[in-house]
Amino acid sequence: MGSKKVQELVQSNEEVPHKYIWRDTEYGPIDVTAATLSGEIPVIDLSRLISSSAEAAMDIAELNKLQSALITWGCFQAINHGIEDSFLDELRRVSRNFFQLPVMEKQKYDRPVDGIEGYGSDMVLFENQSLDWNDRLYLLVSPKDQRKLEYWPENPENFRKILDDYTGSLRQILELILKAIARSLSLPEKCFLDQFGERPTMYGRFNYYPPCSRPDTVLGLKPHADGSGITILLQDEEVEGLQMLKDDRWYRVPIMPHALVVNVGDQLEIMSNGIIKSPMHRAVTNSVRERNTLAMFCAPDPELEIGPVNELVDDDTRRRLYKKVRNYPEIFFQYYQQGKRPIEAVRI
Ligand code: OGA
Ligand code: NI
């Protein structure tokens, strides 16, 4: 199995193994240089989208901007989200420090063969799969009582505390964003929030992309859409790498050091009856610099049934496009394993 960490490959100075060379051309060649389109990913000021009362207090212009961001891109960069710059810097520092620990130390948190949480590399799920140039630490962070602390690093010392604090902040931001998204689509404010339930699931994925000698043919993350409701990503503050697919072209997501990149996941696409789409995205590699990111996948409680909100289904003009589902992540995994786009499983 391809369980060797990419970091270990790099340290032993091996040539890039064949398995990492990207072969599928379904989404076009890697062509890093062609994806020079940038500066178009919308930037949304979250402080203008806070409704303190039940009355409309959100800034209409910003809501319109959000609506257009969602419909055109399925993603945006969020600024003025309320988390201190210094906190995000500290979070990045402890994340980076974890991957810098000696191999032996990190192995304590290794993902078991039959598990999903822990420290590991790309899982081999189907034949002929090209592997991602990426090691990751994957942890369920919410609900709190489902955490498996044995996978939470104790070193760096403040790792657990920082991750716990960050989870708390993102819970609030998640709520704010879900309400704003509903409002921007002229829907009842809580229509998405209610589907997430009282106990939404949040997984943190700490991504580590070592430098790669073949950025022309190796991807950090292969093209995919997230199975979440929404994903909130903290990018590396210096090394770019994330790209979004729009109208069959790849667009770079430029670095804004203290912004959070928010993208729609499949489950919000389902709830919106396809009005907003979960965008395909990928991460490219860099030949000299390592890159660290933290993706937080926020999703409805898997025990709850989700489906298109009533207001967006209409027999005449907008028929129901997705089935109701429970535990989408399980469906996601099965389809993904077959090399299919998981959302196809629930499309009517
Ligand atoms: C992910 C993801 C992007 C990045 O973890 O699903 O898309 O830039 N990450 O690390
Ligand atoms: Ni992703």
Side-chain angles (χ1 to χ4, degrees), residues 307-326:
V309 299
N310 291 335
E311 288 81 357
L312 296 176
V313 181
D314 177 320
D315 288 341
D316 304 321
T317 55
R318 176 168 288 281
R319 67 179 182 86
R320 172 187 292 277
L321 296 178
Y322 305 87
K323 297 175 207 157
K324 291 187 177 170
V325 273
R326 232 180 270 275

Side-chain angles (χ1 to χ4, degrees), residues 232-288:
I232 303 177
L233 177 81
L234 181 66
Q235 279 217 79
D236 194 287
E237 74 272 51
E238 288 181 0
V239 184
E240 206 179 275
L242 176 62
Q243 300 184 346
M244 291 280 164
L245 189 67
K246 180 167 87 78
D247 307 326
D248 294 325
R249 299 191 67 175
W250 291 104
Y251 289 78
R252 292 160 38 202
V253 181
I255 291 171
M256 298 183 63
H258 297 105
L260 297 169
V261 181
V262 177
N263 71 265
V264 172
D266 288 354
Q267 297 188 68
L268 193 62
E269 174 173 333
I270 295 169
M271 291 183 228
S272 77
N273 201 26
I275 286 198
I276 50 182
K277 297 271 189 316
S278 155
M280 295 294 286
H281 54 283
R282 67 181 189 181
V284 295
T285 51
N286 186 293
S287 59
V288 280

Side-chain angles (χ1 to χ4, degrees), residues 87-153:
F87 180 86
L88 294 180
D89 294 339
E90 180 66 4
L91 174 60
R92 285 187 172 116
R93 205 180 57 78
V94 296
S95 312
R96 185 167 294 128
N97 285 355
F98 171 75
F99 291 101
Q100 284 166 350
L101 293 173
V103 175
M104 291 284 279
E105 175 69 22
K106 282 180 300 211
Q107 268 171 4
K108 290 189 200 161
Y109 310 103
D110 262 0
R111 177 185 66 218
V113 189
D114 55 353
I116 51 168
E117 287 186 61
Y119 168 58
S121 51
D122 201 5
M123 285 198 249
V124 184
L125 298 174
F126 47 88
E127 240 181 290
N128 280 326
Q129 175 187 337
S130 357
L131 291 180
D132 293 339
W133 194 256
N134 162 288
D135 295 334
R136 77 294 297 261
L137 173 67
Y138 193 58
L139 301 171
L140 178 138
V141 296
S142 186
K144 235 175 170 156
D145 57 15
Q146 290 176 11
R147 289 180 183 173
K148 294 189 179 134
L149 285 182
E150 64 267 35
Y151 298 114
W152 287 50

Side-chain angles (χ1 to χ4, degrees), residues 20 22 30 131-133 217-223 282-285:
Y20 290 88
W22 177 248
I30 292 187
L131 291 180
D132 293 339
W133 194 256
T217 53
V218 176
L219 283 174
L221 281 186
K222 61 179 80 57
R282 67 181 189 181
V284 295
T285 51

Side-chain angles (χ1 to χ4, degrees), residues 221 224 226 281 297:
L221 281 186
H224 68 282
D226 294 340
H281 54 283
F297 303 103

